[in-house]
Amino acid sequence: MSGAKTFYITTPIYYVNDKPHIGHAYTTLACDVLARFKRLDGFDVKFLTGTDEHGQKVEKSAEAAGVPPLALADQNSANFKELAGILGCSNDDFIRTTEPRHLAACQALWTKLLEKGDIYLGAYEGWYSVRDEAFYAEDELVKEPNGAKLAPTGAPVEWVKEPSYFFRLSAWQDRLLQWYEDNPDCVGPNSRRNEVMSFVKGGLQDLSVSRTSFKWGIPVPGDDAHIMYVWLDALTNYITALGYPDTSGDFARYWPNVIHMVGKDIVRFHAVYWPAFLMAADLPPPKRVFAHGWWTNEGQKISKSVGNVIDPLSLIETYGLDQVRYFLLREVPFGNDGDFSHRAMMGRMNSELANDYGNLVQRVLSMIGKNCGGQVPERGPATGDDSEMLAPAYGLLARLRDAMDRQLYHEALEAIWMVVRAANAYVDKQAPWGLKKTDPARMGTVLWTLAETIRLLALATQPFMPTASNRILDLVAVPEGQRDYRSFSPVAALVTGTPLPSPQGVFPRYVEEVAS
């Protein structure tokens, strides 16, 4: 792929204190869809995910479990690696912050910041949340009626006083604001960009970037009494995976043409601290940070204590992988909060996948099998109706590119479904079953137009539903070498006389089992 446009996409690295849940699956799937789309569109793509394995939370959990921190990290990191496989993810790398390559990258970045005068030794005194691995100012805390103080996330906080190295974040306030102004797309969606800019305009304090009260982390170079603050450690993973501190090779190839996909709760770390660290180290900041929303479950906030955490593995077992992939990126505008409900899931599966798309494929290919000898029919002269059907189908790629570059997955899927609905309306209007006796040549043209539309729809849906889309491409006999987006044109259209396999259902209706 020498000379190809490059594209780098990352999930946040997932904290090994958690068990994988729907939020992790959502972010990873969003990245996978974008990675697949860009690959199909001719980009040289690198897709990274992985696990964040240091910090006080891990040390405390390991202590409670009576195991070394690395043993706990090994076990839980494996769960996230397994999840990526079960989700059908196409990631090129899976990084762990306990790897030697990551230690080397973090210590190199620290040394660079120290040399530049952006890190200095002092003492930290203030509020710290172990659960969030974050420091909070007094005015950010939530005061409970009983006098207790909580982080804005609801996590408990404790007063911490210890020697600490600091990063001169305050010195980067104006340069960060300039970066946001000069790069209006660097943080998305706009609501998060406004939130980040408001935070920075409110004044930045220097950031404590080391701890001495626990040991599970990356040692500060030249001062083993300190370990690096877990966020400086964690964020560095994005350049560790590109070979940093070597800035040739993959680093030169992919950085900074990167999109960091994150949950809205960690946008500050990615859109304030991370660009400041990079610029201070004479490295370009990321191209874009996109923060998506959170899911609720049947209208309720998801929490372990309520016991309504959604397990992505059981969702896939119940509904199917492509169906879950489709639903999560179709149901709500990406960037907004969304509610998961089984009723909504079944509705999308049955009305859109089974009735709209699946039924279109099944009935068109069944008619071709029955009336055209199981071969791609002959295309006769096109009517205005045929051109009206094919124009938006061929035009889909331009619409998809625009939506995907803005991470508006729901808009991409709606553009696809407009063509699906138009194809179903075209079938009903043309009534090819009636043309068999009255005008068989016209019947062939109508069925060719529909089969070609199905080919284009299957190309378009590949990033979202790779398995089902490939089955549909098999059903219209598209060769393996003609499934990328160079084939999204009339040049690669279906060839008359090509034998087609027997049509088979792709999206079965979901029928809820009734307990007897």
Side-chain angles (χ1 to χ4, degrees):
M1 271 210 156
S2 168
K5 300 165 287 186
T6 61
F7 181 76
Y8 183 29
I9 179 95
T10 70
T11 72
I13 47 172
Y14 302 121
Y15 206 56
V16 290
N17 232 33
D18 286 328
K19 189 182 173 197
H21 56 65
I22 192 171
H24 302 120
Y26 187 46
T27 321
T28 305
L29 282 177
C31 291
D32 183 59
V33 168
L34 201 45
R36 287 174 180 273
F37 179 85
K38 291 290 186 181
R39 283 194 203 100
L40 288 165
D41 206 18
F43 283 74
D44 169 9
V45 172
K46 185 171 178 72
F47 168 21
L48 177 70
T49 187
T51 44
D52 177 7
E53 303 180 17
H54 291 132
Q56 199 169 1
K57 263 194 299 191
V58 174
E59 188 173 86
K60 284 188 170 183
S61 297
E63 207 172 276
V67 296
L70 184 58
L72 181 75
D74 285 345
Q75 176 189 324
N76 290 347
S77 178
N79 294 336
F80 285 96
K81 198 165 194 177
E82 180 189 34
L83 175 67
I86 291 168
L87 292 171
C89 284
S90 60
N91 54 295
D92 306 284
D93 196 354
F94 185 97
I95 191 165
R96 299 183 56 187
T97 56
T98 47
E99 293 178 55
R101 61 173 172 163
H102 185 64
L103 183 140
C106 288
Q107 292 192 329
L109 182 64
W110 179 284
T111 302
K112 179 73 171 176
L113 296 175
L114 193 64
E115 286 169 357
K116 292 288 299 290
D118 278 290
I119 284 180
Y120 63 90
L121 184 60
Y124 179 76
E125 191 171 351
W127 296 104
Y128 185 74
S129 159
V130 174
R131 194 173 89 190
D132 298 342
E133 299 282 11
F135 303 99
Y136 292 104
E138 183 77 35
D139 61 4
E140 291 184 281
L141 300 181
V142 178
K143 314 268 189 309
E144 294 287 278
N146 63 3
K149 294 177 179 180
L150 298 175
T153 59
V157 292
E158 58 189 49
W159 188 260
V160 172
K161 187 175 182 180
E162 61 180 309
S164 177
Y165 284 92
F166 286 83
F167 173 73
R168 292 187 198 278
L169 187 63
S170 58
W172 290 89
Q173 181 171 333
D174 292 344
R175 282 171 283 190
L176 282 167
L177 289 171
Q178 191 63 51
W179 179 58
Y180 305 138
E181 290 292 345
D182 293 346
N183 301 278
D185 295 329
C186 66
V187 182
N190 278 336
S191 58
R192 300 294 159 222
R193 180 175 184 269
N194 295 338
E195 176 191 312
V196 163
M197 289 184 72
S198 173
F199 172 73
V200 176
K201 282 176 181 172
L204 294 178
Q205 305 297 314
D206 287 355
L207 182 69
S208 171
V209 287
S210 76
R211 302 296 303 277
T212 57
S213 54
F214 62 98
K215 289 294 175 195
W216 182 238
I218 291 181
V220 165
D223 192 345
D224 285 354
H226 291 254
I227 59 155
M228 289 186 204
Y229 171 46
V230 72
W231 273 103
L232 177 55
D233 163 357
L235 291 162
T236 306
N237 94 87
Y238 302 127
I239 55 176
T240 297
L242 299 181
Y244 185 82
D246 178 0
T247 53
S248 62
D250 274 3
F251 189 94
R253 187 169 162 189
Y254 295 107
W255 194 265
N257 194 23
V258 62
I259 294 180
H260 295 314
M261 201 76 80
V262 300
K264 64 181 183 180
D265 53 325
I266 54 173
V267 69
R268 181 188 301 181
F269 301 102
H270 285 80
V272 181
Y273 302 165
W274 181 225
F277 294 156
L278 288 164
M279 290 191 280
D282 294 329
L283 298 171
K287 183 179 177 184
R288 182 161 166 84
V289 174
F290 192 96
H292 63 73
W294 289 343
W295 285 88
T296 50
N297 186 355
E298 307 281 354
Q300 268 197 315
K301 186 177 177 183
I302 293 174
S303 92
K304 287 180 193 169
S305 55
V306 174
N308 65 345
V309 174
I310 301 172
D311 177 3
L313 305 186
S314 78
L315 279 189
I316 291 165
E317 207 171 282
T318 304
Y319 299 116
L321 174 56
D322 277 347
Q323 288 83 345
V324 169
R325 289 174 66 106
Y326 175 78
F327 175 83
L328 290 178
L329 295 171
R330 173 72 159 146
E331 182 68 2
V332 292
F334 196 67
N336 293 6
D337 291 341
D339 182 52
F340 180 87
S341 79
H342 290 280
R343 184 173 296 279
M345 178 87 206
M346 288 189 295
R348 295 276 185 196
M349 285 175 68
N350 289 339
S351 69
E352 294 178 351
L353 293 180
N355 290 2
D356 293 351
Y357 192 15
N359 190 41
L360 171 71
V361 172
Q362 181 72 15
R363 65 176 176 158
V364 168
L365 297 183
S366 294
M367 281 188 274
I368 291 174
K370 186 178 172 187
N371 301 314
C372 306
Q375 297 179 347
V376 174
E378 187 168 342
R379 182 190 189 187
T383 66
D385 283 351
D386 304 340
S387 301
E388 272 181 41
M389 179 67 257
L390 286 172
Y394 284 124
L396 255 182
L397 183 55
R399 297 192 64 182
L400 294 180
R401 282 174 176 153
D402 176 61
M404 298 297 267
D405 280 344
R406 292 179 292 136
Q407 290 76 64
L408 299 179
Y409 300 97
H410 62 291
E411 282 191 12
L413 284 166
E414 179 54 26
I416 293 168
W417 247 254
M418 284 172 70
V419 175
V420 170
R421 290 191 290 266
N424 279 310
Y426 173 88
V427 177
D428 293 340
K429 181 179 179 184
Q430 302 300 322
W433 49 87
L435 292 169
K436 173 113 192 242
K437 289 180 182 173
T438 59
D439 192 345
R442 175 65 192 151
M443 176 198 71
T445 301
V446 167
L447 290 176
W448 182 93
T449 301
L450 285 163
E452 175 66 354
T453 300
I454 288 167
R455 178 184 78 89
L456 296 165
L457 286 168
L459 288 176
T461 52
Q462 281 179 103
F464 297 93
M465 299 178 284
T467 304
S469 302
N470 275 303
R471 282 181 64 198
I472 295 169
L473 289 167
D474 289 343
L475 291 173
V476 288
V478 174
E480 286 293 333
Q482 291 181 21
R483 297 188 178 192
D484 65 24
Y485 288 165
R486 288 173 301 181
S487 299
F488 223 112
S489 81
V491 175
L494 296 176
V495 177
T496 296
T498 304
L500 300 180
S502 298
Q504 293 172 351
V506 178
F507 296 110
R509 285 185 63 78
Y510 182 80
V511 180
E512 198 162 16
E513 289 181 18
V514 180
S516 54

